[in-house]
């Protein structure tokens, strides 16, 4: 009979040995792990903040186009109907300097912008705004959302006691801190809001006018613009506090997207030259544009 398998000794063949990780290999593994983490953060932070990205994009577009939900209608301006042109800017500058007691010599004056007019249609009561640029041949006509608000003037001394107490506290604070001061005057004060049913009143304690408005129907454009500029902590409403948190998160995420995007681009050696040229052009063009705008702002 054939011998059993137990009669032959079993030899264990050595398996393939894995080389020990070298410092260079460990460094490459850590680098790959960091890049995987960056890609995940880049991807999921963008998905998680998608609603806020859309809100800031839409609201920024509305701000850039005047906040109107309708396309403006362009109206031709006849030369004889055109408002004051920039050719008169020197005359305007001279008139202003003489009015405030300054000598109108060796000065530069610039005139820009447009005259704007609000009016209502006698047919259906719709509200419109006409904008007439001083240096263009066309005026823009846009429909405005209906807003029911009135302004009421009240006696200026209504909140005089509060203003005087604030001025006294401000002067005492400066004196106690050793800060010299003169001609101390209040320039702005706390806001006062009152709600009674669908009626709202708003004023500040330094004004002598109060604005009254009524609850309006939903206005998408106005909501987007308000969301765009809503910021800051220190509010009683929990929704405002949570919104302020997301404003900070969005600010951090935008920086994070830029940093992680650059890191991921740098890993692609074949794209380094083209990407570097794009980044250089972006920074160079951005700095040039900012300097040009700064010069215009100063003028």
């Amino acid at each position: 009979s054939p011998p059993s398998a137990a009669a032959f000794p079993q030899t264990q063949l050595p398996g393939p040995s894995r080389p020990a990780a070298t410092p260079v290999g460990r460094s490459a593994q850590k680098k790959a792990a960091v890049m995987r983490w960056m890609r995940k953060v880049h991807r999921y932070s963008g998905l998680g903040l998608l609603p806020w990205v859309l809100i800031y994009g839409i609201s920024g577009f509305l701000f850039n186009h005047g906040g109107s939900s309708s396309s403006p209608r362009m109206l031709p301006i006849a030369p004889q109907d055109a408002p004051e042109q920039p050719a008169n800017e020197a005359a305007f500058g001279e008139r202003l300097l003489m009015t405030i007691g300054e000598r109108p010599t060796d000065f530069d004056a610039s005139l820009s912008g447009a005259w704007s007019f609000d009016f209502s249609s006698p047919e259906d009561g719709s509200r419109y705004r006409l904008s007439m640029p001083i240096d263009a041949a066309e005026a823009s006509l846009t429909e405005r959302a209906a807003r029911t608000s009135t302004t009421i003037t009240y006696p200026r001394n209504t909140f005089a006691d509060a203003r005087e107490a604030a001025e006294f506290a401000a002067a005492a604070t400066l004196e106690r801190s050793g800060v010299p001061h003169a001609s101390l005057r209040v320039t702005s004060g706390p806001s006062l809001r009152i709600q009674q049913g669908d009626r709202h009143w708003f004023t500040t304690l330094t004004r002598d006018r109060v604005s009254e408005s009524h609850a309006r129907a939903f206005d998408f454009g106005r909501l987007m613009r308000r969301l765009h500029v809503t910021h800051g902590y220190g509010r009683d409403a929990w929704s405002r506090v949570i919104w302020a948190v997301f404003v900070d998160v969005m600010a951090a995420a935008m920086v994070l997207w830029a940093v992680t995007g650059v890191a991921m681009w740098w890993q692609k050696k074949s794209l380094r030259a083209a990407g570097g040229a794009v980044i250089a052009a972006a920074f160079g063009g951005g700095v040039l544009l900012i300097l040009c705008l700064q010069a215009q702002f100063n003028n």
Side-chain angles (χ1 to χ4, degrees):
S1 63
S4 63
F8 297 94
Q10 299 290 329
T11 57
Q12 188 72 24
L13 297 177
S17 60
R18 177 175 297 178
T22 62
V24 176
R26 285 195 296 269
S27 176
Q29 292 175 2
K30 291 180 180 180
K31 190 175 181 180
V34 170
M35 291 310 303
R36 285 195 299 269
W37 176 83
M38 279 192 178
R39 284 192 290 269
K40 289 181 179 180
V41 171
H42 193 94
R43 181 189 311 120
Y44 291 111
S45 61
L47 294 176
L49 294 173
L50 181 60
W52 283 266
V53 174
L54 293 175
I55 287 173
Y56 278 101
I58 295 172
S59 57
F61 178 85
L62 293 176
F63 265 117
N64 202 38
H65 292 270
S68 175
S69 58
S70 59
S71 300
R73 176 186 173 190
M74 306 308 296
L75 305 177
I77 302 177
Q80 63 271 21
D81 298 330
E84 297 288 357
Q85 298 299 312
N88 295 318
E89 55 196 10
F92 287 140
E94 181 178 358
R95 185 190 307 175
L96 176 61
L97 292 175
M98 293 180 63
T99 301
I100 62 177
E102 297 290 339
R103 297 182 60 185
T105 56
D106 298 329
F107 69 91
D108 295 322
S110 61
L111 189 66
S112 61
W115 298 95
S116 295
F117 305 89
D118 288 349
F119 66 95
S120 59
S121 170
E123 299 177 353
D124 55 5
S126 299
R127 299 286 303 173
Y128 294 90
R129 170 163 294 180
L130 178 68
S131 179
M132 300 185 65
I134 61 174
D135 54 358
E138 288 185 319
S140 64
L141 179 65
T142 55
E143 185 174 0
R144 310 273 300 171
R147 298 182 180 179
T148 56
S149 62
T150 56
T151 301
I152 306 169
T153 302
Y154 56 83
R156 187 168 181 79
N157 61 354
T158 301
F159 302 109
D161 55 342
R163 289 196 295 268
E164 291 173 0
E167 291 176 359
F168 179 81
T173 300
L174 293 174
E175 291 176 1
R176 192 172 293 109
S177 303
V179 179
H181 63 280
S183 303
L184 181 68
R185 63 185 181 89
V186 62
T187 56
S188 63
S191 301
L192 177 63
R193 299 178 185 272
I194 303 174
Q195 180 176 351
Q196 187 180 61
D198 63 346
R199 302 174 67 187
H200 302 262
W201 291 272
F202 170 78
T203 187
T204 62
L205 300 188
T206 55
R207 296 176 59 190
D208 56 359
R209 295 181 304 278
V210 58
S211 300
E212 178 185 359
S213 60
H214 296 266
R216 301 191 289 259
F218 178 74
D219 187 340
F220 177 77
R222 181 174 181 271
L223 173 63
M224 288 292 104
R225 294 191 299 274
R226 289 292 298 272
L227 290 176
H228 191 98
V229 299
T230 298
H231 62 280
Y233 294 86
R235 304 285 184 172
D236 295 333
W238 62 268
S239 57
R240 297 289 293 266
V241 175
I242 294 178
W243 184 262
V245 171
F246 274 102
V247 170
D248 283 342
V249 173
M250 271 295 300
M254 294 177 73
V255 176
L256 182 64
W257 293 336
V259 173
T260 54
V262 170
M264 289 186 291
W265 154 73
W266 186 252
Q267 297 303 307
K268 300 290 185 180
K269 295 184 178 180
S270 60
L271 301 178
R272 287 183 181 178
V278 171
I279 292 176
F283 274 94
V287 170
L288 179 61
L289 179 59
I290 291 173
L291 293 177
C292 292
L293 289 173
Q294 176 65 25
Q296 293 184 12
F297 296 155
N298 290 337
N299 291 333

